């Protein structure tokens, strides 16, 4: 089934969670909500297409912005948002540095590899002026979901923007 096709939430509601992207292959649809099961929390994708709270493109005064990129671990799949490592990090740093506002934005997407994360960073995330980027990619780099590497997949795609990235 295509990522852009409708997927069924636990409670039977139909929702489109992912959209096809010519640079990263897929990404979250902005403002998507999803409930995975009766045992796991729901999650919300904000208007910019990332897990978590809304944020402004420009940093506020006296703000240190951290962006986390990665896979389902960074996203916090199957974990309540307040228990994700990016939220715990934000809370801990704000307690430690009271004179500075620490803002941690999660740009983790389940299934992403470091190739996809790098493309997302280059094409979208740098415009948010991060002071620090934390990257964590686990098994997706080693255990690809197809027989092709990300670069090979991009090369086979007919979209010209993917062809440019694969060279």
């Amino acid at each position: 089934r295509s990522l852009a096709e409708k997927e069924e939430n636990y409670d039977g509601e139909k929702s489109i969670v992912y959209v096809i992207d010519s640079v990263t292959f897929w990404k979250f649809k902005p403002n998507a909500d999803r409930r995975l099961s009766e045992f796991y929390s729901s999650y919300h994708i904000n208007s910019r297409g990332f897990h978590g709270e809304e944020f402004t493109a420009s940093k506020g005064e006296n703000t240190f912005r951290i962006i986390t990129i990665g896979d389902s671990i960074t996203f916090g799949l199957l974990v309540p948002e307040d228990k994700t490592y990016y939220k715990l990090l934000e809370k801990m740093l704000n307690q430690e540095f009271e004179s500075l506002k620490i803002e941690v934005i999660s740009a983790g997407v389940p299934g992403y590899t470091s190739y996809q994360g790098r493309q997302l960073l280059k094409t979208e995330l740098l415009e948010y002026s991060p002071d620090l980027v934390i990257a964590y990619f686990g098994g997706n780099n080693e255990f690809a979901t197809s027989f092709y590497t990300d670069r090979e997949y991009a090369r086979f795609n007919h979209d010209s923007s993917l062809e440019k990235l694969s060279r």
Side-chain angles (χ1 to χ4, degrees):
R1 168 163 58 161
S2 166
L3 286 171
E5 288 181 33
K6 291 185 176 184
E7 296 185 6
E8 192 170 311
N9 281 330
Y10 165 74
D11 54 10
E13 178 185 327
K14 296 284 187 177
S15 64
I16 297 175
V17 178
Y18 296 103
V19 292
I20 301 301
D21 183 72
S22 64
V23 175
T24 60
F25 314 136
W26 72 87
K27 63 183 181 180
F28 281 109
K29 177 185 176 197
N31 297 313
D33 290 302
R34 177 103 169 153
R35 184 170 178 213
L36 298 173
S37 79
E38 66 180 307
F39 303 107
Y40 298 111
S41 299
S42 299
Y43 63 79
H44 174 71
I45 305 302
N46 64 34
S47 64
R48 296 183 186 282
F50 301 112
H51 186 202
E53 301 167 7
E54 294 293 331
F55 62 92
T56 60
S58 58
K59 290 186 295 188
E61 189 174 317
N62 205 33
T63 298
F64 187 88
R65 180 173 278 175
I66 300 170
I67 294 181
T68 60
I69 60 174
D71 54 20
S72 57
I73 302 297
T74 298
F75 173 81
L77 191 63
L78 308 181
V79 177
E81 186 179 3
D82 65 337
K83 303 291 187 217
T84 59
Y85 85 77
Y86 64 90
K87 276 297 176 193
L88 294 172
L89 175 65
E90 181 179 73
K91 182 178 178 182
M92 180 185 71
L93 291 175
N94 274 311
Q95 289 172 347
E96 183 71 25
F97 301 100
E98 295 175 9
S99 63
L100 189 64
K101 181 180 188 297
I102 308 293
E103 180 180 56
V104 181
I105 297 169
S106 172
V109 180
Y112 264 25
T113 62
S114 56
Y115 177 86
Q116 291 165 292
R118 183 170 184 256
Q119 300 315 315
L120 182 63
L121 180 66
K122 289 182 349 184
T123 61
E124 190 171 342
L125 298 175
L126 291 177
E127 77 180 60
Y128 302 130
S129 305
D131 297 295
L132 176 67
V133 175
I134 298 173
Y136 173 81
F137 295 91
N140 296 336
N141 279 348
E142 187 172 340
F143 303 107
T145 57
S146 71
F147 295 105
Y148 302 107
T149 67
D150 291 329
R151 288 192 178 275
E152 289 169 335
Y153 183 79
R155 196 173 298 124
F156 294 140
N157 191 302
H158 61 82
D159 187 326
S160 62
S161 62
L162 287 177
E163 290 170 2
K164 291 175 189 170
L165 290 174
S166 66
R167 292 185 185 138

